Amino acid sequence: MKTTKAIAALWLAAFSLAVQAQLPDFTRLVEEQGNAVVNISTTQAVRRPSAAVPQVPGMEDEEVLEFFRRFIPRQPPAQGGGGPTPRSESRSLGSGFIISTDGYVLTNAHVVEGADEITVKLTDKREFKAKVIGADKRTDIALIKIDAATLPAVRFGDPNKLKVGEWVVAIGSPFNFENTVTAGIVSAKGRSLPQENFVPFIQTDVAINPGNSGGPLFNLRGEVVGINSQIYSRTGGFMGLSFAIPADVAQDVLKQLKEKGRVARGRIGVQIQEVTRDLALSFGLDRPRGALVNSVEKASPAEKAGVETSDIITSFDGKPVESLSDLPRFVGSTRPGTTVPLELWRKGAARKLSVTVSELPEERVASADKPKPQKSAEAQANRLGIVVAELSAEQKKERQVSNGLVVTEVRPDARADVRKGDVLMALVQKGQHTELKSVEQFNKLLASLDKSAVITLQVKRGETTAFVTVAGLTDKG
């Protein structure tokens, strides 16, 4: 009996040691890299209204909380008894990390945006005033500098080598608790977030909260692989969805910020939309991939290269464009003036072009603007459930089109996602593009199609062009 108990005890001890051996130990990483992480506080002079608005926790609008948040807490200034003042100070807190021994610090652009004064606090409690070398809102990266020497600095790793499921560690100042360490795994890579065209985010389940903004994300080798930037939350606190800017994106941006204080990005002058499964079928593409060109700007690099509306861009500079979000990143990271190869799908066949990238103006939102998503349509009324009319010469001139049919009525049972006043420019089916020139022609085209046919309409609405898919037609009846 004693022998059995002894064997069981030994087995449990061995099992416990085996489990412990498989779990990561973060202590060495924190000891070696923790001193390079800093706390950043900013002060901004703001005008306050004549009557203060009370801040009640939990009263945030539910819809607003659905959006991805940047996590930087704002602290209202202390109020005296003498009533409101016309100007006061707003303080915010964030994190950052030292990238060179001579005092360059990397953080998020939104941490230092609008700051009149920036204070960097080291782990040894020393504090320094910092100046902004440059900030890039599109990637949310800022480079700041403190006057110090022989500082501890991080080393960068390759985020492309990260694997989903791999352990990662964040160090920052959530809620101003300095040098807080949290850990988790990589949940996904290459995430595209709303209004963020230039960053393939690293998604993790590392606990990130207000104040972590701008802090580093480490792999287990102690290398920075990302900058913690956003969370998805209904409450403002951590809910298991955190997003970091990959280190290679950050390094490219900081290099330009250090050299010239700004980032030069490429553009080619197209508007694009996602290629859905139905669109791929309509255009005769083997599978959903690429970026569908809605429109091409006049005199743009794309127009000069020969890109046309309804082309599907499948490769840029030798890199496959698998989804809508890939193209803006590839184009944006290309230096203006560079000529690169472009592969596209046009009318059922692959084509190759060369495009010379120009520079994206400072205030432009993206090199390829993403239109509002189109709903998936289901059918027709002339077999589409819509009534169309031919455009007069004056209407064509006014709408800047050479052909097309205007939608005059959308019936309640219409299956195409179009509106009254839209101009139907073309019909695409199995890779064949047919420009629409008359009502008779359009109705004959629809009548000739099988009930299960999938078609795509090129629709112009105001100044925007988009492609609307219709899957399945009504009976010819």
Side-chain angles (χ1 to χ4, degrees), residues 200-234:
F201 286 94
I202 302 167
Q203 180 185 333
T204 75
D205 69 349
V206 177
I208 299 295
N209 283 290
N212 274 114
S213 227
L217 183 73
F218 293 98
N219 60 22
L220 290 188
R221 290 181 293 278
E223 301 166 332
V224 173
V225 290
I227 304 175
N228 297 309
S229 176
Q230 300 191 39
I231 59 174
Y232 184 76
S233 175
R234 285 175 173 268

Side-chain angles (χ1 to χ4, degrees), residues 42 122 162 166 210 238 253 263 301-302 381 454:
T42 66
L122 308 186
L162 274 179
E166 181 176 338
F238 174 67
V253 170
V263 178
V454 176

Side-chain angles (χ1 to χ4, degrees), residues 325-453:
S325 59
D326 288 337
L327 187 61
R329 291 202 296 265
F330 295 160
V331 175
S333 63
T334 303
R335 293 291 180 269
T338 306
T339 299
V340 300
L342 193 70
E343 294 181 18
L344 49 85
W345 183 260
R346 177 185 297 169
K347 298 180 179 179
R351 302 284 184 94
K352 292 185 178 181
L353 303 173
S354 292
V355 61
T356 301
V357 178
S358 65
E359 184 170 353
L360 179 70
E362 286 285 338
E363 296 304 315
R364 291 186 65 89
V365 175
S367 60
D369 299 320
K370 181 165 62 176
K372 293 181 180 179
Q374 300 293 326
K375 295 179 182 178
S376 180
E378 291 186 357
Q380 290 193 345
N382 20 1
R383 298 184 72 193
L384 271 179
I386 61 176
V387 179
V388 296
E390 294 169 14
L391 293 166
S392 66
E394 185 177 342
Q395 287 175 318
K396 289 178 182 178
K397 183 178 180 181
E398 180 183 337
R399 296 168 187 260
Q400 297 181 330
V401 296
S402 58
N403 65 280
L405 304 173
V406 63
V407 177
T408 60
E409 183 183 351
V410 179
R411 304 264 175 86
D413 61 345
R415 300 182 186 181
D417 185 23
V418 296
R419 302 176 188 172
K420 185 177 178 179
D422 287 351
V423 176
L424 309 184
M425 305 288 294
L427 184 149
V428 184
Q429 209 262 333
K430 292 184 178 179
Q432 297 299 312
H433 295 237
T434 305
E435 291 186 350
L436 300 179
K437 299 181 178 180
S438 71
V439 176
E440 181 182 7
Q441 171 216 22
F442 184 39
N443 289 340
K444 281 184 178 179
L445 282 171
L446 295 176
S448 68
L449 297 173
D450 185 80
K451 184 178 178 180
S452 61

Side-chain angles (χ1 to χ4, degrees), residues 6-285:
I7 293 173
L10 287 171
W11 185 88
L12 286 172
F15 178 76
S16 177
L17 288 172
V19 171
Q20 291 178 26
Q22 292 179 11
L23 293 174
D25 183 356
F26 307 118
T27 55
R28 184 174 179 182
L29 184 157
V30 175
E31 289 171 357
E32 294 178 351
Q33 304 299 326
N35 289 337
V37 182
V38 301
N39 174 275
I40 298 176
S41 61
T42 66
T43 303
Q44 179 181 6
V46 296
R47 291 192 177 277
R48 295 183 62 81
S50 56
V53 179
Q55 302 296 314
V56 183
M59 294 299 288
E60 299 91 345
D61 184 79
E62 182 75 8
E63 291 186 5
V64 173
L65 294 176
E66 289 286 351
F67 289 95
F68 287 86
R69 302 167 174 270
R70 305 207 186 278
F71 33 97
I72 175 168
R74 295 279 174 181
Q75 296 183 343
Q79 297 294 310
T85 57
R87 291 182 67 85
S88 58
E89 292 182 342
S90 172
R91 297 181 181 276
S92 63
L93 299 170
S95 303
F97 53 98
I98 303 167
I99 61 172
S100 64
T101 58
D102 56 350
Y104 281 97
V105 175
L106 206 59
T107 186
N108 283 152
H110 74 267
V111 170
V112 297
E113 182 179 7
D116 294 314
E117 187 175 87
I118 303 170
T119 302
V120 172
K121 185 177 181 180
L122 308 186
T123 55
D124 62 9
K125 306 304 179 184
R126 287 185 294 166
E127 294 187 3
F128 299 88
K129 298 302 179 186
K131 63 178 180 178
V132 177
I133 302 301
D136 180 53
K137 290 184 179 180
R138 290 190 175 97
T139 53
D140 194 26
I141 292 171
L143 180 65
I144 63 177
K145 177 74 166 61
I146 60 175
D147 188 12
T150 62
L151 297 173
V154 300
R155 61 182 187 275
F156 285 101
D158 185 357
N160 296 304
K161 294 180 180 179
L162 274 179
K163 295 181 179 179
V164 175
E166 181 176 338
W167 283 96
V168 281
V169 175
I171 304 179
S173 303
F175 301 107
N176 203 25
F177 291 109
E178 298 172 18
N179 256 123
T180 295
V181 181
T182 53
I185 62 168
V186 176
S187 303
K189 294 172 61 180
R191 287 295 197 210
S192 178
L193 304 186
Q195 305 303 318
E196 306 286 352
N197 287 334
F198 298 104
V199 180
F201 286 94
I202 302 167
Q203 180 185 333
T204 75
D205 69 349
V206 177
I208 299 295
N209 283 290
N212 274 114
S213 227
L217 183 73
F218 293 98
N219 60 22
L220 290 188
R221 290 181 293 278
E223 301 166 332
V224 173
V225 290
I227 304 175
N228 297 309
S229 176
Q230 300 191 39
I231 59 174
Y232 184 76
S233 175
R234 285 175 173 268
T235 64
F238 174 67
M239 292 186 69
L241 293 168
S242 306
F243 298 89
I245 303 161
D248 55 347
V249 174
Q251 285 179 289
D252 180 62
V253 170
L254 76 86
K255 181 181 179 181
Q256 293 191 60
L257 291 178
K258 194 171 183 180
E259 291 175 354
K260 49 193 176 185
R262 58 180 291 271
V263 178
R265 285 194 175 83
R267 67 178 292 270
I268 59 174
V270 293
Q271 286 190 336
I272 56 175
Q273 76 179 71
E274 193 74 67
V275 178
T276 63
R277 185 173 182 176
D278 288 338
L279 281 171
L281 182 61
S282 291
F283 283 83
L285 199 59

